[in-house]
Amino acid sequence: MLTISAAEVDQALTFPGLVETLRTAFRDGAVQPVRHHHAVERPDGAASTLLLMPAWTDFNAAGSSAGGHIGVKIVTVSPDNNAIGKPAVMGLYLLLDGTTGEPEALIDGQRLTQWRTACASALAASYLARKDASRLLVIGAGALSSFLARAHSAMRPIKSVRIWNRTPANAEKVAAALRAEGLPANVAGDLEAELGEADIVSSATISTTPLIKGALLKPGTHVDLVGGFTPEMRESDDDAIVRARVYVDTRAGATKEAGDIVQPLASGVLKPEAIVADLHELTRGEKQGRQGDGEITLFKSVGAALEDLAAGIAVYKALK
Ligand SMILES: NC(=O)C1=CN([C@@H]2O[C@H](COP(=O)(O)OP(=O)(O)OC[C@H]3O[C@@H](n4cnc5c(N)ncnc54)[C@H](OP(=O)(O)O)[C@@H]3O)[C@@H](O)[C@H]2O)C=CC1
């Protein structure tokens, strides 16, 4: 069995390559039971969330039981980690042979998650962001932020990456690291002003109160909501939902787990039929993406086990 580190995941993947891998994965599908979602309560701090995310090759759809894989991701999200300088998300990915169950690889799940999450956002943006989108606003300066900047920059002609964060010093660190790679990244000071100028707003925070005020968005903006993963969490307000055509990664996940979707559905601000499409429908050409340059689009992801499976297989094949 291979043990694959974060650095090796970085060697194995490219942003355009993984976007195309995910496009194929969502089009073809996989078996992915609803993920286990457990709260690990403790008396002296915020509860951690333990997620168990299995997926495996759909042999019935593939028509043969050769060549498949089974994968399971174990992830924790511990909000208090930020205060001690650690990322909130930790994880491991185990890839098994699809027929025999033989272990194939144990992969750094944190890094695999960063790659596949950013590339799922970029995949959505390939249908939903304007082709000429050049100004990217990243909200949050955690582990995902630089991956989102790189992934969106791989799919659209980004000329300016603005990074806004609750703690500006952390935004400066991310911007400096991106500049060192040649990306045109700078810290954003005034979030409200930035929202009115961005072509793509990509948000990955642990916020429970909306940071994105929809009234401030300009026509043509694409909003990419990555952070919220419980019904209580929210990164955008109702105005954003009302003004946008709304898309999700998977209908089952987003309508159950994402406060940005669950709360407006509960209040009636968003009707279930107003969720235009998920990534399966977009990649299969069953539903349309952006319809015009003036439209505001909004994509909400909570993550799908088939993304981990597809990314894990891509890493394993590149390195074995
Ligand atoms: N959709 C998906 O598929 C996935 C979603 N996620 C989610 O994305 C989010 C970000 O992940 P990651 O980058 O790894 O996390 P990190 O812990 O590395 O970073 C968290 C970021 O959120 C900011 N933040 C925390 N609390 C607040 C708040 N109350 N208001 C505003 N900003 C806040 C932090 O700011 P500061 O620097 O000031 O502390 C920091 O920028 C998490 O919620 C995670 O669960 C993760 C993986 C996959």
Side-chain angles (χ1 to χ4, degrees), residues 175-233:
L178 290 172
R179 280 198 301 274
E181 295 173 19
L183 285 178
N186 285 292
V187 174
D190 180 350
L191 178 59
E192 299 206 345
E194 297 286 340
L195 285 170
E197 300 200 7
D199 299 319
I200 300 175
V201 179
S202 184
S203 185
T205 71
I206 316 183
S207 187
T208 47
T209 50
L211 300 164
I212 300 171
K213 294 182 182 160
L216 301 176
L217 299 169
K218 70 176 181 185
T221 301
H222 172 58
V223 179
D224 172 40
L225 302 179
V226 178
F229 64 96
T230 70
E232 295 73 38
M233 296 171 83

Side-chain angles (χ1 to χ4, degrees), residues 114-164:
Q114 290 156 0
W115 274 92
R116 66 77 148 147
T117 304
C119 287
S121 283
L123 172 64
S126 76
Y127 299 97
L128 302 177
R130 286 171 59 138
K131 294 236 172 339
D132 61 354
S134 65
R135 194 175 170 101
L136 170 66
L137 170 63
V138 176
I139 302 179
L144 270 174
S145 60
S146 59
F147 283 85
L148 289 164
R150 295 181 195 117
H152 283 299
S153 297
M155 300 308 286
R156 288 293 183 262
I158 301 298
K159 295 192 178 65
S160 163
V161 180
R162 309 283 292 169
I163 301 176
W164 183 91

Side-chain angles (χ1 to χ4, degrees), residues 285-311:
E286 294 165 1
K287 296 280 173 65
Q288 302 275 310
R290 170 172 290 276
Q291 294 297 294
D293 281 352
E295 193 168 85
I296 294 174
T297 51
L298 182 148
F299 171 70
K300 174 59 198 152
S301 73
V302 290
L306 83 75
E307 297 165 357
D308 299 305
L309 181 66

